[in-house]
Amino acid sequence: MHKKQFEERYNLYLVDEKPSVNIVDVEEACNKLKKGKASGFDRVSAEHLHFAHPCLLYCLTKLFNLMLFCRFVPDAFGTGIMIPLLKDNNGDPSACDNYRCITISCVISKVFEHVLLKKFHTHLASSDLQFGFKKGVGCSDALFTLKSVVDHFVRNGSTVTLSALDISKAFDKVSHYHLYNITLNKNIPKCLIQLLISKCFVCVKWGSACSGYFSVLAGVRQGGVLSPVLFALYIDEILQSLKCSRIGCTIGSMYLGCILYADDILLLSTSVVQMQRMLDICSAGAHNLDLKFNVTKSQVLRIGPRYKSTCEQLRLDMQELHFAAEIKYLGVVIQCHKFFTCSYACCKLKFYRCFNAL
C-alpha cells in the first residue's frame, strides 16, 4: 500500500533543488569522522581520509557533485556488514531478542551523508519535542522539560498521569516507502529523495565468518549518519497526531503532552480519560507506521495530590497497562509520589559496588 501510494505521488512531485558541494564541505565532513572505528567491506577507514593527500578532497568533491547531478548513489554505498552484539551478558546467548545489530558502512558513504545533512538540515528538522539526535539538546533537556511540566500542574492542584511507551525494535521496523511518503509530506527536495532511494545490501559477520549478502527491505541502518534524523522524521508523525488533537498537558498555546527521545515516548496528561484517548492515538499511529508497542515494557505512573487514588485501567493495543510505583526514563528512576521525585537507590548501589571492588 505504501509503495503504490509513493509511486503515484512521486511522479507528480515537483519540489526540487540543485545543490552543489565545495571542497570545504567535504573537508568538514571528513573531520567529523571518528578515528579508531572498524572499516567496511572496502577496508577503507577514517584514518585513510584524515592522512590522505589533499587532492583526495578534490576528487571526492567532484564525485559528490556528480552524484547530486545524476541523482544516483553507487551500490557500494548501500553495502554494509551487520554485526550482532549481545545485549545482556548474563542473558541467554541463544535467544534472538538478546542481540542488537550495528552496521559497518563504507566510510566514503558516511562522508557523503555528512555533506547531505549539512545541505538539507533545514528540510530534515523534526518537532521541538523530539530531544534525540539534535545538536545542543539531549537527555538533560528532556528531563528538565518533564520536571517543569509536572511541577507546573502539581502546583496548581492537578495530578499528572505519565505513560512511558516502549516500541519493539523501532529502528529495524521502519517502512522504507512510508518514510519516502513522509519526505514528500515535508516537501523535501526531489533530488534528496532520489538519493535516499538506494539499494541496501548487508552480510552478517559472526566472529571471522561472513554470510552472503542479502537485501534489507525495512529499517534504518544502525550507525548511519542520516539514520537517526530519518527515524526522527518517521516517529514524528505520532507526535504531530497528538499535537493536532490538543489532548494532554498544554501550557498556554504550547503543547507539552508528549516528550520524545529517539523512540522513547512519554505521554503527559492531567486526566486519565484523556490519557486513554492519547494511547488510542499512539496505537493508531504506530499501526500506520508498521510499528508495534511492547505493552509488557510500557508503564503508567501518577504524580500529584491524588497519586494514590484508584483509577480506571488504561489500555494500549487492547492490552492493560501496568500502574507502576516507579518508571525508568532516560536513565532516571521517577517515583509515584505527591511531587516529582527521583530514586537514586540504583545509582548508589552501582557506586558502592564499584567502590568496594576497588
Side-chain angles (χ1 to χ4, degrees):
M1 180 184 70
H2 296 315
K3 182 179 180 180
K4 183 178 180 181
Q5 183 184 10
F6 170 72
E7 290 174 346
E8 291 174 352
R9 296 180 60 192
Y10 183 73
N11 293 330
L12 303 174
Y13 193 68
L14 300 176
V15 180
D16 206 355
E17 288 183 12
K18 294 182 178 179
S20 61
V21 178
N22 57 51
I23 198 167
V24 176
D25 296 329
V26 178
E27 185 178 14
E28 290 177 355
C30 288
N31 291 334
K32 291 178 180 178
L33 296 176
K34 296 180 180 179
K35 299 177 183 178
K37 298 294 182 180
S39 58
F41 74 98
D42 56 0
R43 305 292 180 87
V44 177
S45 64
E47 285 78 2
H48 287 98
L49 302 186
H50 281 295
F51 302 114
H53 191 277
C55 70
L56 177 63
L57 298 177
Y58 176 80
C59 296
L60 290 177
T61 302
K62 289 293 185 181
L63 172 64
F64 294 162
N65 277 316
L66 187 61
M67 289 164 60
L68 286 168
F69 178 78
C70 298
R71 303 180 182 191
F72 177 80
V73 177
D75 290 345
F77 276 31
T79 304
I81 302 172
M82 188 179 291
I83 301 177
L85 301 177
L86 195 63
K87 289 182 181 178
D88 184 6
N89 292 325
N90 298 321
D92 183 6
S94 63
C96 295
D97 292 338
N98 197 26
Y99 286 89
R100 62 182 179 89
C101 285
I102 59 169
T103 304
I104 301 175
S105 308
C106 167
V107 69
I108 298 179
S109 72
K110 291 184 178 181
V111 177
F112 186 55
E113 287 186 56
H114 276 299
V115 171
L116 290 179
L117 189 58
K118 179 183 177 180
K119 292 294 179 181
F120 297 102
H121 70 277
T122 54
H123 298 285
L124 298 171
S126 54
S127 172
D128 291 337
L129 292 174
Q130 169 63 267
F131 292 89
F133 315 128
K134 290 183 178 178
K135 188 177 181 180
V137 295
C139 293
S140 58
D141 300 278
L143 292 169
F144 176 76
T145 303
L146 169 62
K147 184 180 184 303
S148 301
V149 173
V150 172
D151 288 345
H152 171 80
F153 284 98
V154 170
R155 280 196 304 267
N156 289 278
S158 298
T159 300
V160 182
T161 302
L162 308 179
S163 292
L165 308 183
D166 180 80
I167 303 177
S168 301
K169 301 188 182 298
F171 286 85
D172 299 329
K173 293 185 178 180
V174 172
S175 169
H176 289 175
Y177 282 99
H178 194 85
L179 176 61
Y180 301 152
N181 280 319
I182 291 174
T183 61
L184 296 180
N185 297 336
K186 295 282 186 179
N187 291 324
I188 290 177
K190 195 170 186 177
C191 63
L192 178 58
I193 299 174
Q194 287 177 311
L195 293 172
L196 293 176
I197 306 174
S198 59
K199 298 176 181 178
C200 185
F201 299 95
V202 297
C203 71
V204 178
K205 185 177 181 181
W206 184 268
S208 59
C210 291
S211 70
Y213 283 91
F214 57 91
S215 179
V216 178
L217 303 178
V220 291
R221 187 181 305 174
Q222 298 280 357
V225 176
L226 286 176
S227 297
V229 181
L230 294 175
F231 179 80
L233 283 181
Y234 192 76
I235 202 73
D236 197 55
E237 196 165 279
I238 294 178
L239 179 54
Q240 295 304 324
S241 299
L242 290 168
K243 268 188 172 183
C244 292
S245 70
R246 301 299 294 178
I247 301 173
C249 290
T250 305
I251 300 177
S253 60
M254 185 179 297
Y255 182 79
L256 295 162
C258 179
I259 295 176
L260 278 171
Y261 191 92
D263 60 334
D264 292 322
I265 302 176
L266 190 68
L267 305 180
L268 300 91
S269 174
T270 55
S271 165
V272 177
V273 175
Q274 285 192 352
M275 177 57 71
Q276 182 59 64
R277 292 173 63 187
M278 294 175 74
L279 291 171
D280 293 339
I281 292 172
C282 289
S283 181
H287 179 74
N288 186 46
L289 294 174
D290 296 330
L291 300 176
K292 186 175 178 59
F293 286 108
N294 188 340
V295 182
T296 57
K297 291 185 178 181
S298 302
Q299 294 178 317
V300 185
L301 175 142
R302 285 167 59 79
I303 302 174
R306 297 176 298 280
Y307 75 99
K308 290 184 178 180
S309 301
T310 304
C311 302
E312 186 69 24
Q313 191 67 49
L314 295 172
R315 292 178 176 272
L316 177 66
D317 288 343
M318 304 302 292
Q319 299 180 54
E320 291 187 355
L321 281 176
H322 172 63
F323 276 87
E326 59 184 30
I327 60 174
K328 190 173 183 179
Y329 184 70
L330 301 181
V332 175
V333 179
I334 305 168
Q335 293 181 311
C336 178
H337 200 266
K338 191 174 182 179
F339 303 101
F340 186 94
T341 55
C342 299
S343 172
Y344 302 102
C346 185
C347 297
K348 290 179 180 178
L349 181 64
K350 290 181 179 178
F351 170 77
Y352 286 126
R353 185 186 300 157
C354 294
F355 184 79
N356 290 331
L358 293 174

